[in-house]
Amino acid sequence: MEAVVIFVSRHNGLLQNRAFRNLFIATTVSAASVSVARIAIPLSAVLALSASGFEVGLVSAFLTLPFLLVGLPTGVWVDRVRRRSVLIISQLARALVLFSIPLSWWTGTLTIWQLYAAVILFGTCNVFYDVAYHSFLPQVAGREKLLEANSRITGVQQVFEVGGPSFGGQLVALLTAPISFVVTSVGLAISSWCVVRIDVVEEAPAREEKSRMIPEVAAGLRMVRNDSRLLAIAGSSAWLNLTGYAIYTATMLFLARTLELSPGWIGAFFSIGGLGGLLGALAANRLSRALGHGRVMWLILLVGCPFSLLLPMVGSSWTLWLGACTNGVVTLTSVVYNVAQLSFCQAVTPDHLLGRMNATMRFLTWSVMPIGSILGGMVAGWLGPREGLFACAAASCVAFIPLLFSPLRGMRDLSPSVPDGEVRGESDRDSVLGN
């Protein structure tokens, strides 16, 4: 939390906006709570229910499955209602779902099947919260300050990416895994109250009487397809996620089997690397302004991704920590890119399509994550962990290509204008919706 205070004190411009300040606090408390939940959920299966390896794997899979099942329809639903209401309800729902776990544990009725159901419901609430949050942020911060807003919030999230697992593990050790959900539930309830305090007036979204789910889902897909810039971002992001998860899986196998490191040392390796993500969040705004908002996307991938080629060259000596720092550079690269691309997507999308755009982009770019994990394991098993990690790292180095051959190549300003012949906004709403 000290890092959060330093982050806030050094970057206090946008925090003078009361609405954004409440959203920032809500995000901080929510990130801390979710970081604990992500540790406590699998530990509840292992420690409280003595689950098998396969059952623990299902718990992890069910956490991200809702992004594939309801990701696209969620964008339509979010565009039909006020986004702040979705944030409040989804936070309270997450709190109630998590609180059901210690409640059942106290009464002796907790089973693996209930844990499965709770995880699926929790993951579904995550989908709604994520899509609504990224659709609501432009109204709170203002489109002209999206880069600054995303940098600040990503910085907070990176703090808990680094320290969250350690904090969550200590909390679980102190309270037991099921009881730790009481803390996370209280945190999510507090986060919801902070969202209630956001004094941004949202107009009720206009909805046509004949609107239907499938045509409106298609509108989000069509918007991404028809805007060459969004399509390039989707292509680069999907490839970055695919190869990133493959690298992560291959790295885990490399550290555990080739270097024979203990779980504690492996955790330290990734925690040190995670500090790069925090530095990336702090630097993203300045880099984007210095290099250009479009240019920074492909330049940071071109320069940063090749650092992953150094990972399979490390050993179990001092070079291991050189590898951890190298991993930090790769994480910094991903964070700077994500802040820049997210800010651009939010800036160019009309308000009435923000939910569908966010849902569509996440569906296209996040659905490859489990595939990447599987491919990373397969390649590492086929070639060997060291050689497989090198192959996955080499594949990541071409993620910049779709951006390089798009209008983003030389773009400097975060302009909301859309190229001729592509989706423009309210004036083109009928054509976008296919009416």
Side-chain angles (χ1 to χ4, degrees):
M1 187 60 70
E2 181 181 355
V4 177
V5 175
I6 295 173
F7 180 77
V8 172
S9 62
R10 293 186 61 186
H11 301 77
N12 57 9
L14 190 55
L15 290 173
Q16 295 176 2
N17 179 332
R18 183 172 180 270
F20 179 78
R21 186 167 62 249
N22 280 316
L23 184 62
F24 182 85
I25 295 172
T27 302
T28 301
V29 178
S30 179
S33 302
V34 171
S35 69
V36 173
R38 285 176 177 168
I39 295 295
I41 286 173
L43 287 180
S44 292
V46 174
L47 301 177
L49 299 174
S50 300
S52 66
F54 177 73
E55 289 171 331
V56 174
L58 284 180
V59 169
S60 299
F62 288 155
L63 191 60
T64 56
L65 184 63
F67 277 98
L68 294 177
L69 298 181
V70 299
L72 291 176
T74 298
V76 176
W77 292 322
V78 168
D79 280 338
R80 289 177 176 179
V81 298
R82 290 182 174 89
R83 280 92 186 234
R84 187 176 66 165
S85 299
V86 178
L87 293 178
I88 295 169
I89 293 172
S90 59
Q91 283 290 62
L92 290 175
R94 289 203 287 187
L96 290 173
V97 167
L98 292 182
F99 187 73
S100 70
I101 297 175
L103 190 63
S104 298
W105 186 75
W106 283 328
T107 59
T109 58
L110 182 64
T111 66
I112 190 65
W113 294 103
Q114 180 187 342
L115 189 62
Y116 288 156
V119 169
I120 291 175
L121 289 174
F122 181 72
T124 302
C125 293
N126 289 346
V127 176
F128 276 90
Y129 183 86
D130 183 81
V131 173
Y133 170 81
H134 287 105
S135 303
F136 186 50
L137 182 62
Q139 294 178 276
V140 175
R143 290 176 181 263
E144 69 282 359
K145 294 185 177 181
L146 281 172
L147 264 172
E148 182 183 353
N150 282 315
S151 284
R152 296 176 188 279
I153 290 173
T154 302
V156 168
Q157 293 170 338
Q158 284 299 313
V159 168
F160 292 106
E161 284 288 331
V162 175
S166 177
F167 173 69
Q170 294 298 325
L171 190 64
V172 169
L174 179 65
L175 301 177
T176 73
I179 303 302
S180 65
F181 288 117
V182 176
V183 177
T184 63
S185 298
V186 172
L188 291 170
I190 294 173
S191 176
S192 178
W193 171 244
C194 292
V195 177
V196 172
R197 291 171 53 84
I198 297 175
D199 54 352
V200 171
V201 178
E202 285 188 276
E203 296 182 1
R207 181 182 173 187
E208 300 178 9
E209 294 182 1
K210 296 182 179 180
S211 61
R212 295 290 185 271
M213 176 63 69
I214 293 179
E216 291 190 47
V217 167
L221 291 167
R222 198 154 46 240
M223 179 183 182
V224 174
R225 182 197 66 188
N226 292 343
D227 190 324
S228 58
R229 301 165 304 174
L230 294 179
L231 194 61
I233 289 173
S236 287
S237 297
W239 188 255
L240 194 65
N241 287 337
L242 178 76
T243 55
Y245 271 72
I247 289 172
Y248 179 79
T249 301
T251 301
M252 289 291 289
L253 293 170
F254 173 63
L255 296 177
R257 294 183 179 176
T258 302
L259 301 186
E260 298 182 342
L261 299 181
S262 68
W265 286 116
I266 292 175
F269 179 92
F270 284 109
S271 292
I272 292 174
L275 292 173
L278 177 58
L279 295 176
L282 295 172
N285 193 15
R286 290 185 179 181
L287 285 174
S288 295
R289 295 187 185 281
L291 299 175
H293 299 299
R295 190 177 296 143
V296 72
M297 295 186 209
W298 64 269
L299 273 176
I300 195 68
L301 295 183
L302 175 64
V303 174
C305 286
F307 276 87
S308 60
L309 294 171
L310 299 176
L311 290 175
M313 300 180 186
V314 306
S316 55
S317 60
W318 63 269
T319 58
L320 176 67
W321 308 115
L322 180 62
C325 294
T326 298
N327 188 50
V329 175
V330 176
T331 307
L332 181 150
T333 297
S334 299
V335 169
V336 171
Y337 168 74
N338 282 325
V339 169
Q341 64 88 6
L342 177 59
S343 300
F344 175 81
C345 292
Q346 290 169 330
V348 302
T349 304
D351 285 337
H352 69 274
L353 285 170
L354 272 170
R356 278 166 284 180
M357 182 280 296
N358 282 309
T360 300
M361 293 296 280
R362 273 151 184 72
F363 178 81
L364 294 175
T365 61
W366 289 12
S367 60
V368 300
M369 291 177 178
I371 299 174
S373 297
I374 294 171
L375 287 176
M378 291 175 61
V379 173
W382 179 37
L383 299 177
R386 190 185 296 272
E387 294 78 7
L389 176 56
F390 186 84
C392 295
S396 72
C397 294
V398 299
F400 72 96
I401 291 179
L403 298 166
L404 185 63
F405 292 96
S406 77
L408 294 168
R409 179 176 60 251
M411 190 193 79
R412 293 198 58 86
D413 298 326
L414 193 62
S415 171
S417 62
V418 181
D420 292 339
E422 296 176 1
V423 180
R424 297 178 185 274
E426 285 292 334
S427 61
D428 290 332
R429 184 174 185 179
D430 291 340
S431 62
V432 173
L433 295 177
N435 295 329

